[in-house]
Amino acid sequence: MDYAKMRAIAEELGAYAERLEGTWNVEIGPSGPILAMMCPSKRHEGTVHRICRQLNKQLLVTHPGYICANGPEIEHPSIGRMRRPDALVIPEAVLDEEGIAVDATQVLAVTEIVSPSNPNNDYGEKLTEYPAMGIEHYMIVDPRTGTIEVHSEPCAGRYGSKAPYIFGDEVPFGPWTVETSAFRRYEKPVRGER
């Protein structure tokens, strides 16, 4: 199916989702448009907030006119993908444009906070899609394990560089630094609970 058809289906799913209870997300992955309910935990959202706050302070100096935002989708029609990262660095002006998705060529960096229910999405599909989109920097924050991976140097649909960190480290992320001492791990279930 070509990207225009997938995009039309995604827009229909988005309109349908607006009538549903809860918060829904539409993405276009390898198998086409996906509608998924979003249930991020407080710790997930707290981590996103801390990352955006830190990067926004640094962007004033390193990339005036850019922001770290939570929310907009990014798309790359030539590879047939539309994703919604937890945080992304983009020119602030794109938020005033028509449409719902940001052109991936305008994205400097993305961050994903690993979900307990679907970790393979961030470590698998997105780890190949983001470099194929030309996104220079990708940070994966995993509150399940207290670990962080920073990927850079996209080439031929993969990142050439990977650097591992743990919660508490000062993490170099492109030209920025993310202090992670306030990041929190997901709670583990009490023994006997599921």
Side-chain angles (χ1 to χ4, degrees), residues 48-69:
V48 171
H49 172 74
R50 287 178 181 97
I51 291 167
C52 287
R53 186 179 66 226
Q54 290 182 52
L55 292 181
N56 279 324
K57 287 179 184 175
Q58 296 172 61
L59 285 163
L60 292 171
V61 175
T62 65
H63 294 81
Y66 280 74
I67 61 167
C68 182

Side-chain angles (χ1 to χ4, degrees), residues 157-181:
R158 59 185 289 271
Y159 286 108
S161 176
K162 171 185 162 185
Y165 301 92
I166 60 171
F167 284 19
D169 288 346
E170 284 193 8
V171 176
F173 183 43
W176 317 289
T177 301
V178 177
E179 169 54 55
T180 67
S181 61

Side-chain angles (χ1 to χ4, degrees), residues 12-167:
E12 288 177 24
L13 287 172
Y16 173 75
E18 289 177 8
R19 300 188 303 266
L20 300 174
E21 286 188 33
T23 305
W24 294 83
N25 181 37
V26 178
E27 293 185 327
I28 299 174
S31 58
I34 304 158
L35 175 63
M37 186 172 200
M38 294 172 46
C39 300
S41 70
K42 292 184 284 186
R43 290 194 173 172
H44 177 282
E45 293 303 299
T47 302
V48 171
H49 172 74
R50 287 178 181 97
I51 291 167
C52 287
R53 186 179 66 226
Q54 290 182 52
L55 292 181
N56 279 324
K57 287 179 184 175
Q58 296 172 61
L59 285 163
L60 292 171
V61 175
T62 65
H63 294 81
Y66 280 74
I67 61 167
C68 182
N70 169 263
E73 282 112 356
I74 60 174
E75 70 179 342
H76 199 291
S78 68
I79 65 167
R81 296 293 185 272
M82 183 176 76
R83 292 296 188 173
R84 185 182 182 118
D86 289 315
L88 66 161
V89 175
I90 53 175
E92 185 173 15
V94 303
L95 297 178
D96 293 326
E97 296 173 354
E98 288 290 326
I100 59 171
V102 174
D103 181 333
T105 62
Q106 298 184 61
V107 178
L108 297 182
V110 294
T111 299
E112 295 287 0
I113 314 303
V114 176
S115 162
S117 62
N118 191 10
N120 294 338
N121 196 24
D122 300 320
Y123 286 111
E125 293 174 5
K126 293 179 182 181
L127 191 53
T128 60
E129 292 171 1
Y130 290 151
M133 290 180 179
I135 297 171
E136 191 69 32
H137 308 285
Y138 175 32
M139 180 166 57
I140 304 172
V141 178
D142 195 338
R144 300 169 315 143
T145 59
T147 58
I148 299 160
E149 290 182 3
V150 174
H151 299 269
S152 59
E153 300 173 17
C155 181
R158 59 185 289 271
Y159 286 108
S161 176
K162 171 185 162 185
Y165 301 92
I166 60 171
F167 284 19

